[in-house]
Amino acid sequence: MLGLEMVVVVGIAVLAAAAGERRTRIASPVLLVAVGILLAFAPMLDGFHLDPDVVLLWFLPVLLYWESLTISLRGIRRDLWTIVLASTVLVVLSAAVVAVIAHAFGLPWGPAWVLGAAVAPTDATATAALAKALPQRNLTLLRAESLVNDGTALVLYGIAIAATVSEHALGPLEISGMFVLAYAGGAIVGFAIGWVGLRVRNRFVDPSLNTVAHVLVPFTAYLVAELISASGVIAVVVAGIFMGRAGPRRNTPEARQQTTSVFVFASLVINGSLFVLVGLEMNADTRAVPAASLGTACLLAVAVWLALVLVRMAFQFLSGLLIGAFDHGPHREDHRLGPRARVVSGLAGFRGAVSLAAALGIPMVLDDGSAFPDRAVIVFAAAGVILLTLAVQAPLLPWLVRWARFPADNLALEERRLAQSTAIAETLAALPELVAGLGVGDAARERVQRELERQRRVLDAQGVERPADDDVELVRGHEDYRRLKLAVLEQQRAVVLRLRDQQTIDDTVLRRIQAQLDAEEVRFTGRTILD
């Protein structure tokens, strides 16, 4: 019964946090974690523990895949070296510094490295939820880093666990081989599964079956990669980027819309669930630490959190200097971030459920049968670091964004207008050929041509900073037409609903007509599920 109770509780928490965010201006992930901490005191949730496999095998593939599908590949290419350094060197450096601090607090070197590897990576879920206010380029950098650095951290984590459990120190050659297999193997698997998945999807015209095939891609990529000891994270990310790049050329509009709806919904529910579950687990972790060690564990969590922030901040500036010294291209100035932008990126390194899942995945016993050293302290410290990044860094981020004085980020809007204007202009040029090929009459051609020309004039007028009086009237007339059209659609809905209520038409007829009216309204409002 606990499973059903959790579904209801988590669902209510997600809705309440969304409403609370609008009222309090506190980010919903912070509210969800707080709700989870409070829920842990409920008798029916006493003794709850988050299964790390649920995060790593069920939640993580979907979240990583959706982030990979929607990320800017052009943005990744532009700042590739920054992303590579942040997702590899920064992760190793952060883990090493945390290991030194943990060892100074009394943890043996093996468990100290386990803690370092667990908290080293930033979390894609937390980044996507908390850093929306950043300009597109800065957000792409953070998202790309969070997508890849899990792979580096989990390899480090595996090495630290193996060395602690078996007390067998791995040599440089073995460690290098594990990293090569993780990255190269994961990339190959991801590309192969993406290639196969694209062709499988093309065989299903039915949107529902097409969506099932698409949803299978991240899980299959993760599974195959893990079976050959490669990185499931890298496999999912590569498969997502491949599908995001090649997918728009294939599939039907209905399949694309349905797939997008499914992933948006799954991402929303999983994100919300993860933050609530993290809060629940934090409460349980506190009770698991012996009373005599609780003070030390709290100090360790604070020290590790501060170290991670300082290391990340220093790395932002050092990596910028390093890349600047070797970047002599014609667009090198476009590739550089200002000091204030680097401060913002330094404080935007949120930790999340992956770090907690790694800590919870620590074995209970060693090969010799003894208990894993300081396991409860490691889990508590990892949970404390997550809580501090969300409770301290997240509220500071909006203020830092204003302090950074980022230039207006209108690039996406300008490119959208450019794409629409170009599409209309080239379609008008190709219209005679289209008319001849389809064999339609002059009336249809003139109607389509008038509609396209009106759309072009409106786009041109909207793109003018100070439009002329004629342009103002054109835009106002277009807005009046849009409002009237929406009112007409609403009137049609009311009529169809009345006919259904009067038993004149069946519910199935209502749903079909309503779906058609909804699609037309979306076209007129210009809103999409990705907005």
Side-chain angles (χ1 to χ4, degrees):
M1 189 66 179
L2 183 59
L4 182 57
E5 292 165 347
M6 284 299 299
V7 170
V8 175
V9 167
V10 169
I12 293 174
V14 170
L15 294 176
E21 183 177 20
R22 288 193 293 269
R23 290 178 176 272
T24 65
R25 302 297 181 102
I26 300 174
S28 60
V30 179
L31 296 175
L32 287 168
V33 172
V35 168
I37 293 174
L38 294 175
L39 286 174
F41 291 102
M44 67 177 181
L45 297 175
D46 186 45
F48 169 83
H49 283 286
L50 177 61
D51 186 350
D53 286 342
V54 171
V55 177
L56 296 177
L57 303 180
W58 287 99
F59 288 177
L60 189 61
V62 173
L63 295 176
L64 290 178
Y65 188 67
W66 177 240
E67 290 294 317
S68 304
L69 273 175
T70 55
I71 201 167
S72 167
L73 184 58
R74 184 180 65 181
I76 293 176
R77 287 171 176 165
R78 179 183 56 199
D79 294 302
L80 180 61
W81 282 112
T82 301
I83 295 167
V84 169
L85 289 174
S87 57
T88 55
V89 177
L90 177 57
V91 173
V92 176
L93 183 62
S94 299
V97 171
V98 170
V100 170
I101 292 173
H103 185 64
F105 272 81
L107 271 67
W109 277 115
W113 271 99
V114 171
L115 174 60
V119 299
T122 54
D123 187 74
T125 300
T127 299
L130 297 169
K132 296 177 181 177
L134 289 174
Q136 187 63 41
R137 179 188 178 185
N138 303 74
L139 182 57
T140 298
L141 276 169
L142 291 172
R143 288 176 63 196
E145 174 195 348
S146 300
L147 287 174
V148 180
N149 62 16
D150 286 339
T152 305
L154 291 177
V155 173
L156 278 178
Y157 172 82
I159 293 171
I161 289 289
T164 305
V165 170
S166 64
E167 296 185 352
H168 168 66
L170 299 176
L173 192 60
E174 292 175 288
I175 294 175
S176 300
M178 292 179 70
F179 275 102
V180 170
L181 177 59
Y183 276 92
I188 292 171
V189 168
F191 181 84
I193 297 300
W195 186 87
V196 172
L198 191 62
R199 276 143 188 82
V200 170
R201 287 187 66 196
N202 291 340
R203 292 183 175 274
F204 294 101
V205 178
D206 184 277
S208 298
L209 294 176
N210 192 289
T211 300
V212 171
H214 201 174
V215 171
L216 280 173
V217 169
F219 293 106
T220 306
Y222 197 97
L223 174 63
V224 173
E226 292 295 321
L227 287 175
I228 65 171
S229 299
S231 172
V233 170
I234 301 299
V236 171
V237 170
V238 171
I241 292 175
F242 176 84
M243 292 290 282
R245 186 70 176 179
R249 296 181 182 275
R250 313 290 179 89
N251 301 310
T252 62
E254 295 84 0
R256 286 195 295 270
Q257 281 193 329
Q258 182 162 316
T259 299
T260 300
S261 300
V262 167
F263 275 109
V264 168
F265 171 76
S267 178
L268 173 66
V269 173
I270 291 174
N271 275 331
S273 302
L274 276 178
F275 289 117
V276 174
L277 295 176
V278 165
L280 282 167
E281 184 61 39
M282 284 178 178
N283 203 318
D285 296 338
T286 303
R287 295 195 295 266
V289 177
S293 304
L294 189 57
T296 302
C298 289
L299 289 175
L300 174 61
V302 173
V304 168
W305 168 67
L306 286 173
L308 288 171
V309 172
L310 293 175
V311 168
R312 181 176 179 84
M313 196 75 71
F315 186 84
Q316 294 295 320
F317 287 92
L318 292 176
S319 63
L321 293 174
L322 181 63
I323 294 173
F326 289 96
D327 185 5
H328 301 292
H331 302 290
R332 60 183 179 273
E333 292 300 325
D334 296 336
H335 295 176
R336 296 179 181 176
L337 294 175
R340 295 194 179 208
R342 295 190 183 280
V343 171
V344 173
S345 296
L347 206 69
F350 304 107
R351 269 64 184 179
V354 173
S355 294
L356 187 58
L360 292 171
I362 298 173
M364 292 290 184
V365 296
L366 306 179
D367 284 350
D368 61 7
S370 60
F372 195 100
D374 298 301
R375 185 183 186 277
V377 173
I378 294 173
V379 176
F380 176 85
V385 169
I386 295 168
L387 180 61
L388 287 167
T389 61
L390 296 177
V392 179
Q393 293 173 230
L396 284 175
L397 190 60
W399 178 83
L400 275 176
V401 170
R402 291 192 295 271
W403 167 79
R405 296 199 298 268
F406 290 110
D409 188 17
N410 297 322
L411 181 60
L413 178 60
E414 292 171 0
E415 290 186 351
R416 185 172 179 175
R417 283 203 186 113
L418 172 64
Q420 290 173 325
S421 299
T422 305
I424 291 172
E426 294 190 9
T427 302
L428 281 170
L431 192 58
E433 184 179 347
L434 295 175
V435 169
L438 294 172
V440 298
D442 290 339
R445 178 188 61 77
E446 290 173 1
R447 180 179 175 181
V448 171
Q449 185 170 340
R450 284 197 304 270
E451 183 177 347
L452 288 172
E453 288 175 345
R454 180 176 57 83
Q455 290 176 6
R456 182 174 62 178
R457 290 197 303 272
V458 170
L459 278 173
D460 292 342
Q462 289 175 337
V464 177
E465 187 174 351
R466 294 184 178 179
D469 292 341
D470 291 345
D471 291 335
V472 171
E473 287 299 321
L474 178 65
V475 173
R476 185 179 294 123
H478 173 73
E479 178 61 21
D480 289 344
Y481 173 72
R482 188 184 70 87
R483 289 167 53 206
L484 178 59
K485 183 65 178 180
L486 293 177
V488 168
L489 292 172
E490 191 59 36
Q491 175 65 24
Q492 288 179 296
R493 279 197 194 90
V495 171
V496 175
L497 280 168
R498 191 191 74 236
L499 291 175
R500 191 280 309 270
D501 293 341
Q502 294 172 348
Q503 310 264 336
T504 305
I505 62 173
D506 190 64
D507 291 275
T508 57
V509 176
L510 166 70
R511 283 191 289 270
R512 287 181 178 274
I513 296 176
Q514 197 169 49
Q516 181 182 355
L517 295 174
D518 290 345
E520 197 168 353
E521 178 170 331
V522 168
R523 182 172 72 88
F524 272 91
T525 59
R527 294 192 303 267
T528 71
I529 197 169
L530 294 175
D531 290 337

